[in-house]
Amino acid sequence: MKRIVLAVLSLPMVVFAGGFQLNLQGIRSVGMGGAFTGLGSDASTVFFNPAGMNNLTGHNFTAGFNYVTPSVSLQTPETANINQTSPNATPFHVYYSGELNDRMKFGFLINNQFGSTSSFDDNWQGRYIIQNISLKTFMFQPTMSYKIHDKIFVGGGFVYTYGSFSTEKAVPVGSATTKEGKAKLSGSGDGVGYNIGIFSNVYSLVKETSTTDFKVGISYRSQIGVDLPGGDVEFTDIPVSLQNKFPAKTTFVSKITLPSVFTAGFSVKHTKNEKYSLEFAYDLNYTGWSSYDTLNFDFANNDTPDSKTTKDWQDVFTHRFGLDFTYKQKYSVRVGAYYDNSPVKDGFVSPELPDATQLAYTGGLSYKINDMISVDFSYIRQSAQRESSLESANFTAKYNRKVNVYGIGVNLKFGAKPKETAPSIN
Amino acid sequence: MNNLKYGTLILFAFSLSSCLKTEFDEYTNSSGSANFSTFISVGDSYTQGLQDGGLHNEHNQQDNSYPAIIAKQMETSFVQPTVSGTGSGYMFLAYRNEKIVVVKPYDPDVLDNDAEALTYDPSYTNWVDKTVKYNNLGVGGLNVRNVVSRNTTEALEYHIYMGSSAPGVLSWNGVSGEPIVSYGRFLDWGTIGARREYIDNVISSNATFFTNWLGVNDAMAWSKNGGDPNSGAYQLTNPAEFRLKYDTVLAVFKAMGAQGVCANIHDITESPFFRTVTLEAVKKDIWIKEGADTTIIRKATPDDLLLLSSSSLIAKGDGLTQANPLPHQQVLDRDEVVIAKNYIQQINAQIYASAAAHGYTVVDMYAFMDKLNKGMTYDGVALSVKYIEGGAYSLDGLHPNSRGNAMIANELMRVINATFGSTLRPVAIANYGGIVFP
């Protein structure tokens, strides 16, 4: 297990809409369009809604990863076709939720909630804007959940984030022997935040041959400021006369703010005996991308002009829908869709992150091997086009992006006591 | 289990069918109603591809003249009289004592040339084959009044003694009928007895398409010499004569059935050559002598434009006292600035009128260069009017560098497309060289 995790850690991530948020935090959720906040049926609820842990009994492990294969092409007025050379990515997640007692649950998570990797040929037309960029984040979140009342749970966790960032771009200064310079920035840092939620099994309609459960959940993941206090800057191929301005080595200070995410969701599950169940889930995310208003790099070397980029992103809603059909509690098929509003305004669309408002489709399967172990598969299909500019750089392009995401996960469950009847409250 | 297999199969089939082809189709270019088969450009040093105060090509400066860039996008052949080696000699940057210094070209008339100053290449004295038909007919120093002479007096004054900024050794040789300005030696000027004019070289080009950016030098030669009209080469061309000869050029194109566009004249007084040595930058009082026709000596005001060439004099201590003012040739004083600006408006009105009379479109270079001077960005490269750092002008502070030429080419192509329905693609500015730093 450890070895797998380490191998995964070293792989990059790819942006695929939703700003640079990776909405791939649970394989079952992905199959249902990313909805899960009002569902809480496996350990990934530690992320989606900490309060949902009170739905689970015993010890629950969920682990999974996604394989993201993006294909992005651009067209500028000057160049008919430019392909991004971004690598495929494998963001992963590990969740645990366990029982302390009937009212208290404890859990934790490790996952990649945000990340992006974009790369281009070094000598492409927009090389003075970006050659490549990579942001990776790792979250660790110890979490508690408490049953206030039979139907109402609350939960919360403390989030520790480690982030690493690197980027390269060309510097438009040349000499007789060098065509242009290059700037390479790399740094890492950490930040903290929290994740809280409330979950309610609102209502169950029990009939002779079927039950229908209504559940709702609300969660809030706070904004996290990842400080990059001492990043390294390397300037190469700089003419001798400009090396005071662009020294071979200096350092930078920066901060990347990861946005808050507020989610309200519900689910309705109709179970027919032991034969089948049909479940519908809906999540509404409100992501506070307006926190990403600027990206600044202050260089330690006084003569190096500090870099300030206005991002001016906006808060956005995302709608997520999913349907799960489970046969004999063993085989599940899922379909879903989500409508993702791009946080990037027209005039601020940068080739490193050509985000577009889009409707994407998802699907998934599960197979329950036995009461202890089950496996999940998921798939996302994205296809988006956008034509916009980055006004500050006077760069305009048409973007065409298609992404396939394949996910696989495993769930382990043990130590669950047979269900007791809930104590009556007098 | 069957369900699972079935589902997996569906999922697999779905993801296979949704392949990831995102590539855009290649552009298909069309010339619209234009015929680009024989494309020529007429103009002065701006058209010839002069940079850094000389014609040179060691980093493709001449290859990247704006008409050569346009021709490449037209996919038509374009022959330029390309220099080799140091060409006509040019300015360059050196790094000395932790400072960037501009090294001027070697000048045989002064004693204190820089030890590293570049002179013309030996090949420059016979840099051309006059039997070749060149497409770039730009000639450094060419004024509109020089394109055709109306009488012998004009022929002598305008044709033979065309303004010269070239080293003396390259001047008129009295035999082959070449003009004094060496930049025009690639054209066939006939003999003294049987003169061929610039316009004759245009006529024999049999162009199907042209760009015409004549007229810059008519305003610039006078201005960059501090408004000194004493030498025949540095006059402001009389507007009526300007119009007459501009008409002649367009009539010639019309007669050969050539399509094309003209460009008007930008405000050269806003170039770095006039906007670098400011009182703000010098941080001293500077004494100047007013224009050629006055003997007024006074302190410079911010409205007086000290020329880029005055910086070496100021460094030597000239202009710091009333007794030793800057010579008037080193200053475009405030009255002369007004004269130059008004003159440019005047001849632009003539260009518009002439083009309208002959049915040709005018590219508003005046507006375009004004935008550039206020600061422009392309694909993340910021360009401004600031000398050296600005990145669009070459070291002489007047002529654009390759990057600037690419921008001018794009602007001309934009108008050509709008006029003729062609789809010439703009070029990526980032792919053209700026200043060569030491």
Side-chain angles (χ1 to χ4, degrees):
Chain A
M1 188 72 203
K2 210 172 201 173
R3 201 178 316 158
I4 291 170
V5 169
L6 284 177
V8 167
L9 288 190
S10 61
L11 289 161
M13 292 160 219
V14 173
V15 115
F16 74 110
F20 48 86
Q21 191 176 4
L22 296 159
N23 292 297
L24 302 168
Q25 303 313 328
I27 303 301
R28 285 185 189 176
S29 154
V30 166
M32 298 179 75
F36 213 75
T37 307
L39 215 93
S41 59
D42 70 28
S44 67
T45 194
V46 175
F47 167 80
F48 288 99
N49 187 347
M53 287 159 63
N54 266 77
N55 285 319
L56 306 172
T57 53
H59 299 279
N60 300 265
F61 281 97
T62 293
F65 74 93
N66 281 274
Y67 181 64
V68 186
T69 63
S71 175
V72 182
S73 299
L74 292 70
Q75 182 172 76
T76 65
E78 296 82 10
T79 316
N81 186 67
I82 299 160
N83 291 336
Q84 271 196 15
T85 55
S86 309
N88 298 335
T90 53
F92 78 102
H93 50 257
V94 177
Y95 303 106
Y96 164 75
S97 170
E99 241 175 330
L100 295 176
N101 57 44
D102 178 50
R103 283 183 180 271
M104 297 271 284
K105 314 286 170 183
F106 166 80
F108 69 83
L109 67 76
I110 304 169
N111 63 6
N112 306 130
Q113 294 172 24
F114 296 90
S116 87
T117 294
S118 285
S119 46
F120 292 89
D121 279 343
D122 264 7
N123 60 353
W124 85 287
Q125 186 188 335
R127 62 192 175 276
Y128 300 121
I129 304 165
I130 192 79
Q131 283 171 323
N132 50 66
I133 187 164
S134 160
L135 169 70
K136 299 177 200 173
T137 62
F138 299 92
M139 277 68 176
F140 181 77
Q141 178 192 312
T143 315
M144 299 289 292
S145 167
Y146 183 71
K147 189 200 288 192
I148 299 178
H149 172 277
D150 259 2
K151 288 194 185 297
I152 302 174
F153 320 142
V154 291
F158 160 86
V159 182
Y160 171 82
T161 300
Y162 170 82
S164 66
F165 172 84
S166 71
T167 185
E168 282 182 340
K169 67 179 191 178
V171 183
V173 293
S175 70
T177 50
T178 56
K179 189 161 118 356
E180 60 201 7
K182 190 185 187 87
K184 183 180 180 177
L185 279 64
S186 52
S188 60
D190 53 16
V192 293
Y194 58 89
N195 178 357
I196 51 174
I198 182 164
F199 191 97
S200 175
N201 295 306
V202 182
Y203 179 69
S204 289
L205 184 68
V206 183
K207 287 186 176 168
E208 210 166 303
T209 56
S210 69
T211 37
T212 309
D213 298 311
F214 297 89
K215 300 173 181 179
V216 297
I218 294 172
S219 78
Y220 179 76
R221 293 191 295 278
S222 73
Q223 176 177 304
I224 299 170
V226 178
D227 287 304
L228 305 169
D232 292 318
V233 185
E234 286 174 42
F235 287 105
T236 47
D237 283 344
I238 301 291
V240 177
S241 60
L242 298 173
Q243 287 179 1
N244 288 340
K245 200 173 177 180
F246 305 111
K249 278 212 183 320
T250 179
T251 58
F252 74 86
V253 174
S254 184
K255 181 177 186 172
I256 293 172
T257 306
L258 307 174
S260 61
V261 184
F262 174 87
T263 311
F266 73 88
S267 66
V268 184
K269 183 175 184 179
H270 181 75
T271 312
K272 190 91 176 169
N273 301 344
E274 301 285 291
K275 204 167 161 57
Y276 71 85
S277 69
L278 191 63
E279 187 168 33
F280 173 80
Y282 168 77
D283 269 18
L284 175 66
N285 301 130
Y286 184 71
T287 309
W289 277 120
S290 59
S291 61
Y292 193 50
D293 52 354
T294 54
L295 181 60
N296 299 337
F297 299 101
D298 298 334
F299 298 108
N301 180 41
N302 287 335
D303 292 341
T304 308
D306 290 338
S307 156
K308 296 198 183 330
T309 311
T310 304
K311 295 291 182 185
D312 204 20
W313 284 21
Q314 55 197 348
D315 299 342
V316 285
F317 285 104
T318 308
H319 301 273
R320 303 179 176 280
F321 309 85
L323 205 57
D324 171 300
F325 175 79
T326 299
Y327 183 67
K328 288 193 170 172
Q329 296 181 353
K330 210 168 173 62
Y331 309 105
S332 304
V333 178
R334 301 187 185 91
V335 288
Y338 58 90
Y339 187 76
D340 213 351
N341 286 294
S342 171
V344 189
K345 295 174 191 166
D346 268 334
F348 293 89
V349 178
S350 188
E352 74 210 54
L353 217 159
D355 205 31
T357 293
Q358 61 177 317
L359 180 66
Y361 300 95
T362 72
L365 299 169
S366 281
Y367 174 57
K368 192 171 168 186
I369 296 166
N370 56 39
D371 280 347
M372 208 175 113
I373 187 163
S374 62
V375 286
D376 305 322
F377 303 92
S378 66
Y379 170 71
I380 302 179
R381 168 64 175 180
Q382 284 190 345
S383 176
Q385 287 73 37
R386 185 168 187 177
E387 182 171 8
S388 189
S389 65
L390 178 62
E391 270 165 31
S392 61
N394 192 11
F395 177 85
T396 302
K398 278 185 199 165
Y399 296 93
N400 192 359
R401 185 175 59 191
K402 290 180 181 167
V403 190
N404 285 332
V405 186
Y406 306 89
I408 183 165
V410 62
N411 305 287
L412 300 174
K413 189 180 178 74
F414 49 86
K417 295 188 203 86
K419 221 175 174 161
E420 295 166 32
T421 46
S424 57
I425 296 165
N426 300 321
Chain B
M1 196 68 210
N2 271 345
N3 287 32
L4 182 68
K5 275 185 190 160
Y6 190 48
T8 311
L9 214 63
I10 290 175
L11 202 64
F12 189 65
F14 177 53
S15 64
L16 272 188
S17 65
S18 57
C19 72
L20 286 177
K21 193 186 173 309
T22 54
E23 280 83 3
F24 289 92
D25 294 336
E26 283 303 314
Y27 283 130
T28 48
N29 292 335
S30 117
S31 55
S33 61
N35 174 0
F36 298 135
S37 57
T38 309
F39 166 50
I40 68 152
S41 57
V42 297
D44 48 34
S45 51
Y46 284 79
T47 301
Q48 190 161 23
L50 191 129
Q51 290 185 28
D52 309 322
L55 198 59
H56 62 121
N57 199 37
E58 80 292 353
H59 294 299
N60 306 100
Q61 285 90 340
Q62 197 183 352
D63 291 343
N64 288 323
S65 69
Y66 75 82
I69 294 170
I70 294 172
K72 209 172 257 173
Q73 299 308 96
M74 289 175 173
E75 295 168 358
T76 186
S77 85
F78 195 77
V79 183
Q80 298 200 112
T82 310
V83 297
S84 49
T86 53
S88 65
Y90 57 92
M91 310 159 103
F92 70 95
L93 294 177
Y95 191 53
R96 296 169 186 170
N97 309 321
E98 311 249 310
K99 264 201 157 84
I100 295 176
V101 291
V102 183
V103 180
K104 287 193 277 197
Y106 182 84
D107 180 349
D109 298 336
V110 303
L111 297 169
D112 57 350
N113 277 301
D114 190 284
E116 289 184 67
L118 295 170
T119 186
Y120 64 90
D121 194 81
S123 66
Y124 186 70
T125 52
N126 55 1
W127 131 74
V128 288
D129 175 356
K130 287 183 190 295
T131 61
V132 173
K133 266 200 173 180
Y134 296 100
N135 297 83
N136 191 340
L137 302 182
V139 173
L142 185 72
N143 297 290
V144 168
R145 63 177 179 273
N146 304 134
V147 299
V148 60
S149 51
R150 295 171 292 188
N151 49 50
T152 317
T153 315
E154 273 191 11
L156 285 171
E157 189 177 340
Y158 291 168
H159 175 61
I160 295 173
Y161 300 115
M162 201 164 32
S164 171
S165 53
V169 72
L170 298 172
S171 300
W172 172 265
N173 59 19
V175 179
S176 63
E178 288 181 354
I180 271 183
V181 65
S182 62
Y183 297 120
R185 292 165 63 131
F186 67 98
L187 294 174
D188 181 1
W189 300 90
T191 63
I192 298 175
R195 263 190 347 260
R196 283 186 94 241
E197 307 261 359
Y198 182 78
I199 199 78
D200 296 317
N201 285 287
V202 175
I203 291 166
S204 61
S205 72
N206 294 322
T208 61
F209 199 89
F210 70 90
T211 60
N212 170 11
W213 199 14
L214 281 162
V216 186
N217 208 58
D218 296 71
M220 186 175 76
W222 180 85
S223 308
K224 75 169 186 177
N225 286 287
D228 185 352
N230 287 351
S231 155
Y234 306 145
Q235 298 165 29
L236 294 168
T237 304
N238 172 295
E241 185 182 345
F242 182 97
R243 172 61 189 275
L244 190 73
K245 296 189 174 178
Y246 204 90
D247 279 344
T248 305
V249 175
L250 294 191
V252 158
F253 281 128
K254 197 136 190 81
M256 65 172 91
Q259 301 159 303
V261 292
C262 303
N264 69 1
I265 309 312
H266 61 290
D267 187 347
I268 41 113
T269 69
E270 298 293 335
S271 306
F273 184 82
F274 297 97
R275 301 284 166 175
T276 301
V277 186
T278 58
L279 294 174
E280 215 176 326
V282 178
K283 294 189 180 76
K284 289 187 187 105
D285 279 344
I286 299 292
W287 290 85
I288 59 168
K289 189 167 181 293
E290 275 199 359
D293 51 351
T294 78
T295 53
I296 296 172
I297 292 170
R298 58 175 176 84
K299 275 187 193 172
T301 68
D303 295 333
D304 299 301
L305 303 183
L306 312 180
L307 307 189
L308 188 60
S309 44
S310 72
S311 61
S312 53
L313 297 180
I314 293 170
K316 281 190 290 193
D318 292 354
L320 302 183
T321 60
Q322 191 170 355
N324 182 20
L326 281 181
H328 77 87
Q329 297 94 333
Q330 292 296 332
V331 184
L332 195 67
D333 72 45
R334 55 197 173 199
D335 305 336
E336 291 166 337
V337 174
V338 173
I339 292 168
K341 283 180 180 277
N342 288 342
Y343 178 76
I344 291 164
Q345 298 289 4
Q346 234 179 331
I347 58 172
N348 277 347
Q350 299 297 348
I351 288 173
Y352 275 103
S354 178
H358 295 86
Y360 291 117
T361 307
V362 178
V363 181
D364 193 350
M365 237 21 184
Y366 184 94
F368 181 76
M369 295 298 275
D370 183 56
K371 263 198 305 193
L372 165 65
N373 290 340
K374 289 189 169 86
M376 273 178 161
T377 299
Y378 287 96
D379 296 351
V381 186
L383 302 162
S384 76
V385 73
K386 202 166 171 13
Y387 184 56
I388 299 179
E389 277 177 43
Y393 282 94
S394 73
L395 296 177
D396 60 35
L398 288 166
H399 299 93
N401 59 24
S402 298
R403 207 159 263 172
N405 271 281
M407 290 167 42
I408 289 165
N410 282 352
E411 179 64 8
L412 284 161
M413 288 190 284
R414 189 182 65 77
V415 177
I416 291 169
N417 288 343
T419 309
F420 300 98
S422 50
T423 56
L424 299 173
R425 289 283 148 203
V427 296
I429 301 298
N431 295 342
Y432 291 80
I435 295 281
V436 179
F437 285 96

